[in-house]
Amino acid sequence: MNSKFTFAIMAMLAIFLASCNDDSDNNGSVTVSGTLMKGPPDPNTMVKGYIQNSVGEYTELVIQTKTTDYAGSFTANVEVANLGPTLLRSDPAQFWDEISGLQLGGLQLETMVDTSISTDIGFGVCGHLTTRRIQTLMGTMSFTDAKAQAESELL
């Protein structure tokens, strides 16, 4: 074999192996961030995430954090072992109605996300409307397929 070709193969192999290195600064956790989207919510609205079992029931609290501003921003660290289909739920909160300018109280939003695929989450009315349908469909199909079907049925 040509020595230049061998050197090129060895260099590519070294780069590949270095990129597979599992040493990371997150200590087995991933930062999940997102936005609670329904009018500007009051800051400090609680956002909780529950890991889903195979039939769409939430079983364990894996995210518990609060929004930090009127944009509804939140962040949380999730252990890698708990990544996967997750039910996100906001506590009932005060929201501003964008049209009337009035404050609405007691609105709770939910959405289903797969935190192993996306760690940047936005949840609002569309996600809320599909949550129960996704949970029902998860009894017969994967989360990804259930979410795609529920969203196509809504739209």
Side-chain angles (χ1 to χ4, degrees):
M1 231 193 259
N2 183 336
S3 63
K4 288 182 181 179
F5 179 75
T6 303
F7 178 76
I9 294 293
M10 295 300 283
M12 289 186 341
L13 182 60
I15 292 169
F16 173 76
L17 291 175
S19 69
C20 293
N21 187 356
D22 199 22
D23 292 337
S24 61
D25 295 334
N26 62 18
N27 296 324
S29 67
V30 172
T31 300
V32 174
S33 61
T35 307
L36 178 59
M37 297 182 282
K38 171 52 193 108
D42 280 344
N44 298 316
T45 299
M46 183 65 70
V47 175
K48 297 177 182 173
Y50 301 88
I51 196 79
Q52 296 289 298
N53 64 19
S54 61
V55 293
E57 300 167 335
Y58 62 86
T59 56
E60 182 181 350
L61 180 68
V62 295
I63 296 173
Q64 186 166 344
T65 189
K66 292 182 178 183
T67 58
T68 57
D69 54 26
Y70 285 105
S73 304
F74 64 89
T75 59
N77 289 324
V78 180
E79 291 184 26
V80 172
N82 291 329
L83 294 177
T86 303
L87 171 68
L88 286 180
R89 177 180 288 159
S90 71
D91 278 354
Q94 301 290 320
F95 290 85
W96 291 97
D97 183 314
E98 299 92 339
I99 297 172
S100 70
L102 299 175
Q103 193 172 24
L104 306 174
L107 182 63
Q108 180 180 43
L109 294 176
E110 296 181 336
T111 196
M112 295 283 298
V113 297
D114 189 343
T115 54
S116 66
I117 296 172
S118 176
T119 56
D120 185 21
I121 302 159
F123 73 100
V125 176
C126 184
H128 183 78
L129 293 174
T130 59
T131 296
R132 297 288 176 235
R133 182 66 175 143
I134 293 168
Q135 289 175 319
T136 300
L137 292 170
M138 281 179 65
T140 59
M141 61 182 66
S142 72
F143 170 78
T144 304
D145 293 340
K147 184 169 177 113
Q149 181 172 329
E151 288 174 351
S152 70
E153 288 172 1
L154 178 66
L155 303 175

